[in-house]
Amino acid sequence: MVDVTAADASADVPAGRGRRRRAAVAAGRTLMALVSAVALVTVGIAWFTLDRFKASTNTTPALAQVSDEPNQPPPDDGATDILLVGDDSRTDAQGNPLPNSVLRQLRTQFDAGVNTDTIMLLRLPDNGGPTYAISIPRDSYVAIPGYQTDKINSAYGVMKSRAAQQLQASGQRNRATVEQQSTAAGQKALIETVQNLTGVHVDHYVEVNLYGFYLLSKAIGGVEVCLRRGTSDPDSGANFRAGTQLVSGASALSFVRQRKGLPGGDLDRIVRQQVFLASAAHKVLSAGTLTSPSALSALMDALKKSL
């Protein structure tokens, strides 16, 4: 037996605590270094992805063309306003006709016309207030600049067709040029029509067609929706059971296109589109997507082909 005095015992306690404290500090510094490294890599990936996306995004001169028109709403209206447009064109984002194999996946047939059956205005207040989404029913009768009073979903297609005819009549034979310039004319007409109707200045314009919607819904792994009762519509290909379910690709397209079999018709379809987009946005902003390089890459590839 060894007699340890109280003084000796008390002297050992601070030394042990000191070692533990130094170890804890070292571990903390290591953890902070790892967190900083992960944050740096994450930010680097995010910036690289953003730059890659910007460099490959399809753009339109339509917004600038609308700004040159007289009597338009002022840009500084206290918010950032984004016009979201879904059209039923059977082309890719570059205007190339989709092959029959793809059209079959979309459960549709070729149609040369263009209708914008989904028109939604997002308003993001500059003061950080709540964001609002307002859908404009496709059958709303409005004044279309340079044309006449008609359904708002026809503004894009009618003015695009007229511009294409004028370009061809003037001797333009380059198909890509006709497609690009006539598309911009259709987009300009729709933007100006929405601005005149709402009094809101459109700051950004986003357009996605049937194929783009198909690709985007698959890129994020589908979207969860919930139906109170089962419903079907052979025209859109919709055939859904009651309850929670995941829709992706063709089924997602059928979900947002269905209007027959819904009590409110087009108005119920608007509700579906808003619910779908809210659920999709929640999934895109979730950690599962933003922290996954493979998920982000798939989403960026789909966006390049879609928007």
Side-chain angles (χ1 to χ4, degrees), residues 255-274:
F255 181 83
V256 298
R257 293 184 71 199
Q258 181 183 359
R259 59 191 175 112
K260 293 182 180 179
L262 302 180
D266 277 335
L267 296 181
D268 277 351
R269 176 161 69 170
I270 283 176
V271 173
R272 277 199 176 189
Q273 291 169 353
Q274 291 194 354

PDB file of all heavy atoms in Angstrom, residues 255-274:
ATOM      1  N   PHE A 255     -50.757  14.298 -64.574  1.00  0.00           N
ATOM      2  CA  PHE A 255     -51.304  14.903 -63.352  1.00  0.00           C
ATOM      3  C   PHE A 255     -51.597  16.390 -63.544  1.00  0.00           C
ATOM      4  O   PHE A 255     -52.646  16.883 -63.131  1.00  0.00           O
ATOM      5  CB  PHE A 255     -50.315  14.696 -62.197  1.00  0.00           C
ATOM      6  CG  PHE A 255     -50.789  15.257 -60.882  1.00  0.00           C
ATOM      7  CD1 PHE A 255     -51.639  14.531 -60.078  1.00  0.00           C
ATOM      8  CD2 PHE A 255     -50.389  16.515 -60.458  1.00  0.00           C
ATOM      9  CE1 PHE A 255     -52.088  15.043 -58.867  1.00  0.00           C
ATOM     10  CE2 PHE A 255     -50.824  17.034 -59.252  1.00  0.00           C
ATOM     11  CZ  PHE A 255     -51.686  16.299 -58.452  1.00  0.00           C
ATOM     12  N   VAL A 256     -50.672  17.123 -64.161  1.00  0.00           N
ATOM     13  CA  VAL A 256     -50.861  18.570 -64.301  1.00  0.00           C
ATOM     14  C   VAL A 256     -51.680  18.946 -65.539  1.00  0.00           C
ATOM     15  O   VAL A 256     -52.143  20.080 -65.656  1.00  0.00           O
ATOM     16  CB  VAL A 256     -49.507  19.317 -64.338  1.00  0.00           C
ATOM     17  CG1 VAL A 256     -48.751  19.118 -63.049  1.00  0.00           C
ATOM     18  CG2 VAL A 256     -48.667  18.880 -65.524  1.00  0.00           C
ATOM     19  N   ARG A 257     -51.868  18.001 -66.466  1.00  0.00           N
ATOM     20  CA  ARG A 257     -52.643  18.295 -67.674  1.00  0.00           C
ATOM     21  C   ARG A 257     -54.110  17.905 -67.551  1.00  0.00           C
ATOM     22  O   ARG A 257     -54.955  18.397 -68.296  1.00  0.00           O
ATOM     23  CB  ARG A 257     -52.041  17.570 -68.878  1.00  0.00           C
ATOM     24  CG  ARG A 257     -50.664  18.052 -69.298  1.00  0.00           C
ATOM     25  CD  ARG A 257     -50.208  17.332 -70.557  1.00  0.00           C
ATOM     26  NE  ARG A 257     -50.946  17.763 -71.722  1.00  0.00           N
ATOM     27  CZ  ARG A 257     -51.037  17.078 -72.866  1.00  0.00           C
ATOM     28  NH1 ARG A 257     -50.442  15.899 -72.963  1.00  0.00           N
ATOM     29  NH2 ARG A 257     -51.721  17.551 -73.882  1.00  0.00           N
ATOM     30  N   GLN A 258     -54.442  17.007 -66.620  1.00  0.00           N
ATOM     31  CA  GLN A 258     -55.817  16.529 -66.515  1.00  0.00           C
ATOM     32  C   GLN A 258     -56.785  17.659 -66.175  1.00  0.00           C
ATOM     33  O   GLN A 258     -56.523  18.483 -65.302  1.00  0.00           O
ATOM     34  CB  GLN A 258     -55.929  15.441 -65.441  1.00  0.00           C
ATOM     35  CG  GLN A 258     -57.348  14.891 -65.294  1.00  0.00           C
ATOM     36  CD  GLN A 258     -57.473  13.863 -64.192  1.00  0.00           C
ATOM     37  OE1 GLN A 258     -56.498  13.527 -63.517  1.00  0.00           O
ATOM     38  NE2 GLN A 258     -58.680  13.356 -63.987  1.00  0.00           N
ATOM     39  N   ARG A 259     -57.896  17.706 -66.893  1.00  0.00           N
ATOM     40  CA  ARG A 259     -58.984  18.627 -66.522  1.00  0.00           C
ATOM     41  C   ARG A 259     -60.332  17.935 -66.593  1.00  0.00           C
ATOM     42  O   ARG A 259     -61.260  18.292 -65.874  1.00  0.00           O
ATOM     43  CB  ARG A 259     -58.979  19.875 -67.391  1.00  0.00           C
ATOM     44  CG  ARG A 259     -59.124  19.659 -68.877  1.00  0.00           C
ATOM     45  CD  ARG A 259     -58.832  20.956 -69.633  1.00  0.00           C
ATOM     46  NE  ARG A 259     -58.851  20.781 -71.067  1.00  0.00           N
ATOM     47  CZ  ARG A 259     -59.767  21.294 -71.884  1.00  0.00           C
ATOM     48  NH1 ARG A 259     -60.749  22.003 -71.381  1.00  0.00           N
ATOM     49  NH2 ARG A 259     -59.713  21.100 -73.184  1.00  0.00           N
ATOM     50  N   LYS A 260     -60.457  16.919 -67.470  1.00  0.00           N
ATOM     51  CA  LYS A 260     -61.683  16.132 -67.492  1.00  0.00           C
ATOM     52  C   LYS A 260     -61.677  15.177 -66.302  1.00  0.00           C
ATOM     53  O   LYS A 260     -60.661  14.623 -65.927  1.00  0.00           O
ATOM     54  CB  LYS A 260     -61.776  15.342 -68.794  1.00  0.00           C
ATOM     55  CG  LYS A 260     -61.961  16.223 -70.022  1.00  0.00           C
ATOM     56  CD  LYS A 260     -62.095  15.398 -71.287  1.00  0.00           C
ATOM     57  CE  LYS A 260     -62.289  16.296 -72.505  1.00  0.00           C
ATOM     58  NZ  LYS A 260     -62.406  15.502 -73.758  1.00  0.00           N
ATOM     59  N   GLY A 261     -62.860  15.015 -65.695  1.00  0.00           N
ATOM     60  CA  GLY A 261     -62.939  14.172 -64.511  1.00  0.00           C
ATOM     61  C   GLY A 261     -62.692  14.942 -63.232  1.00  0.00           C
ATOM     62  O   GLY A 261     -62.757  14.369 -62.145  1.00  0.00           O
ATOM     63  N   LEU A 262     -62.394  16.248 -63.346  1.00  0.00           N
ATOM     64  CA  LEU A 262     -62.216  17.096 -62.165  1.00  0.00           C
ATOM     65  C   LEU A 262     -63.443  17.994 -62.021  1.00  0.00           C
ATOM     66  O   LEU A 262     -63.896  18.584 -63.010  1.00  0.00           O
ATOM     67  CB  LEU A 262     -60.955  17.954 -62.302  1.00  0.00           C
ATOM     68  CG  LEU A 262     -59.631  17.213 -62.511  1.00  0.00           C
ATOM     69  CD1 LEU A 262     -58.482  18.213 -62.621  1.00  0.00           C
ATOM     70  CD2 LEU A 262     -59.374  16.237 -61.375  1.00  0.00           C
ATOM     71  N   PRO A 263     -63.994  18.126 -60.817  1.00  0.00           N
ATOM     72  CA  PRO A 263     -65.229  18.907 -60.639  1.00  0.00           C
ATOM     73  C   PRO A 263     -65.130  20.343 -61.168  1.00  0.00           C
ATOM     74  O   PRO A 263     -66.072  20.859 -61.765  1.00  0.00           O
ATOM     75  CB  PRO A 263     -65.434  18.892 -59.118  1.00  0.00           C
ATOM     76  CG  PRO A 263     -64.717  17.677 -58.658  1.00  0.00           C
ATOM     77  CD  PRO A 263     -63.542  17.523 -59.564  1.00  0.00           C
ATOM     78  N   GLY A 264     -63.972  20.978 -60.974  1.00  0.00           N
ATOM     79  CA  GLY A 264     -63.817  22.371 -61.389  1.00  0.00           C
ATOM     80  C   GLY A 264     -63.139  22.556 -62.726  1.00  0.00           C
ATOM     81  O   GLY A 264     -62.802  23.689 -63.104  1.00  0.00           O
ATOM     82  N   GLY A 265     -62.903  21.471 -63.459  1.00  0.00           N
ATOM     83  CA  GLY A 265     -62.294  21.585 -64.780  1.00  0.00           C
ATOM     84  C   GLY A 265     -60.955  22.300 -64.751  1.00  0.00           C
ATOM     85  O   GLY A 265     -60.046  21.925 -64.006  1.00  0.00           O
ATOM     86  N   ASP A 266     -60.843  23.357 -65.558  1.00  0.00           N
ATOM     87  CA  ASP A 266     -59.577  24.095 -65.664  1.00  0.00           C
ATOM     88  C   ASP A 266     -59.143  24.709 -64.341  1.00  0.00           C
ATOM     89  O   ASP A 266     -57.945  24.819 -64.059  1.00  0.00           O
ATOM     90  CB  ASP A 266     -59.698  25.204 -66.721  1.00  0.00           C
ATOM     91  CG  ASP A 266     -59.461  24.666 -68.123  1.00  0.00           C
ATOM     92  OD1 ASP A 266     -58.767  23.646 -68.255  1.00  0.00           O
ATOM     93  OD2 ASP A 266     -59.980  25.257 -69.083  1.00  0.00           O
ATOM     94  N   LEU A 267     -60.105  25.147 -63.527  1.00  0.00           N
ATOM     95  CA  LEU A 267     -59.749  25.767 -62.249  1.00  0.00           C
ATOM     96  C   LEU A 267     -59.141  24.732 -61.301  1.00  0.00           C
ATOM     97  O   LEU A 267     -58.202  25.038 -60.561  1.00  0.00           O
ATOM     98  CB  LEU A 267     -60.965  26.438 -61.612  1.00  0.00           C
ATOM     99  CG  LEU A 267     -61.553  27.617 -62.405  1.00  0.00           C
ATOM    100  CD1 LEU A 267     -62.745  28.209 -61.662  1.00  0.00           C
ATOM    101  CD2 LEU A 267     -60.493  28.692 -62.639  1.00  0.00           C
ATOM    102  N   ASP A 268     -59.666  23.510 -61.317  1.00  0.00           N
ATOM    103  CA  ASP A 268     -59.058  22.452 -60.518  1.00  0.00           C
ATOM    104  C   ASP A 268     -57.687  22.075 -61.066  1.00  0.00           C
ATOM    105  O   ASP A 268     -56.790  21.692 -60.310  1.00  0.00           O
ATOM    106  CB  ASP A 268     -59.966  21.217 -60.485  1.00  0.00           C
ATOM    107  CG  ASP A 268     -61.061  21.331 -59.441  1.00  0.00           C
ATOM    108  OD1 ASP A 268     -61.007  22.288 -58.646  1.00  0.00           O
ATOM    109  OD2 ASP A 268     -61.969  20.480 -59.416  1.00  0.00           O
ATOM    110  N   ARG A 269     -57.521  22.162 -62.379  1.00  0.00           N
ATOM    111  CA  ARG A 269     -56.199  21.887 -62.959  1.00  0.00           C
ATOM    112  C   ARG A 269     -55.196  22.926 -62.478  1.00  0.00           C
ATOM    113  O   ARG A 269     -54.022  22.604 -62.219  1.00  0.00           O
ATOM    114  CB  ARG A 269     -56.269  21.884 -64.490  1.00  0.00           C
ATOM    115  CG  ARG A 269     -54.903  21.691 -65.120  1.00  0.00           C
ATOM    116  CD  ARG A 269     -54.972  21.237 -66.558  1.00  0.00           C
ATOM    117  NE  ARG A 269     -55.481  22.258 -67.450  1.00  0.00           N
ATOM    118  CZ  ARG A 269     -55.445  22.139 -68.786  1.00  0.00           C
ATOM    119  NH1 ARG A 269     -54.948  21.050 -69.343  1.00  0.00           N
ATOM    120  NH2 ARG A 269     -55.933  23.090 -69.548  1.00  0.00           N
ATOM    121  N   ILE A 270     -55.613  24.180 -62.348  1.00  0.00           N
ATOM    122  CA  ILE A 270     -54.738  25.225 -61.823  1.00  0.00           C
ATOM    123  C   ILE A 270     -54.289  24.877 -60.407  1.00  0.00           C
ATOM    124  O   ILE A 270     -53.109  25.018 -60.049  1.00  0.00           O
ATOM    125  CB  ILE A 270     -55.461  26.594 -61.848  1.00  0.00           C
ATOM    126  CG1 ILE A 270     -55.468  27.156 -63.270  1.00  0.00           C
ATOM    127  CG2 ILE A 270     -54.796  27.582 -60.887  1.00  0.00           C
ATOM    128  CD1 ILE A 270     -56.246  28.443 -63.410  1.00  0.00           C
ATOM    129  N   VAL A 271     -55.221  24.407 -59.580  1.00  0.00           N
ATOM    130  CA  VAL A 271     -54.881  24.011 -58.216  1.00  0.00           C
ATOM    131  C   VAL A 271     -53.839  22.891 -58.240  1.00  0.00           C
ATOM    132  O   VAL A 271     -52.854  22.915 -57.496  1.00  0.00           O
ATOM    133  CB  VAL A 271     -56.136  23.559 -57.444  1.00  0.00           C
ATOM    134  CG1 VAL A 271     -55.748  22.989 -56.076  1.00  0.00           C
ATOM    135  CG2 VAL A 271     -57.102  24.720 -57.280  1.00  0.00           C
ATOM    136  N   ARG A 272     -54.037  21.916 -59.117  1.00  0.00           N
ATOM    137  CA  ARG A 272     -53.073  20.816 -59.229  1.00  0.00           C
ATOM    138  C   ARG A 272     -51.686  21.318 -59.612  1.00  0.00           C
ATOM    139  O   ARG A 272     -50.681  20.868 -59.070  1.00  0.00           O
ATOM    140  CB  ARG A 272     -53.561  19.818 -60.283  1.00  0.00           C
ATOM    141  CG  ARG A 272     -54.560  18.818 -59.765  1.00  0.00           C
ATOM    142  CD  ARG A 272     -54.618  17.654 -60.706  1.00  0.00           C
ATOM    143  NE  ARG A 272     -55.498  16.620 -60.203  1.00  0.00           N
ATOM    144  CZ  ARG A 272     -55.597  15.428 -60.757  1.00  0.00           C
ATOM    145  NH1 ARG A 272     -54.876  15.142 -61.814  1.00  0.00           N
ATOM    146  NH2 ARG A 272     -56.405  14.531 -60.262  1.00  0.00           N
ATOM    147  N   GLN A 273     -51.651  22.225 -60.573  1.00  0.00           N
ATOM    148  CA  GLN A 273     -50.357  22.740 -61.029  1.00  0.00           C
ATOM    149  C   GLN A 273     -49.637  23.466 -59.902  1.00  0.00           C
ATOM    150  O   GLN A 273     -48.424  23.312 -59.717  1.00  0.00           O
ATOM    151  CB  GLN A 273     -50.568  23.666 -62.228  1.00  0.00           C
ATOM    152  CG  GLN A 273     -51.021  22.928 -63.471  1.00  0.00           C
ATOM    153  CD  GLN A 273     -51.488  23.852 -64.574  1.00  0.00           C
ATOM    154  OE1 GLN A 273     -51.604  25.061 -64.386  1.00  0.00           O
ATOM    155  NE2 GLN A 273     -51.767  23.290 -65.742  1.00  0.00           N
ATOM    156  N   GLN A 274     -50.370  24.253 -59.120  1.00  0.00           N
ATOM    157  CA  GLN A 274     -49.746  24.971 -58.015  1.00  0.00           C
ATOM    158  C   GLN A 274     -49.257  24.004 -56.937  1.00  0.00           C
ATOM    159  O   GLN A 274     -48.161  24.157 -56.398  1.00  0.00           O
ATOM    160  CB  GLN A 274     -50.721  25.984 -57.428  1.00  0.00           C
ATOM    161  CG  GLN A 274     -51.018  27.158 -58.357  1.00  0.00           C
ATOM    162  CD  GLN A 274     -51.719  28.299 -57.631  1.00  0.00           C
ATOM    163  OE1 GLN A 274     -52.081  28.176 -56.468  1.00  0.00           O
ATOM    164  NE2 GLN A 274     -51.907  29.406 -58.333  1.00  0.00           N
TER     165      GLN A 274
END
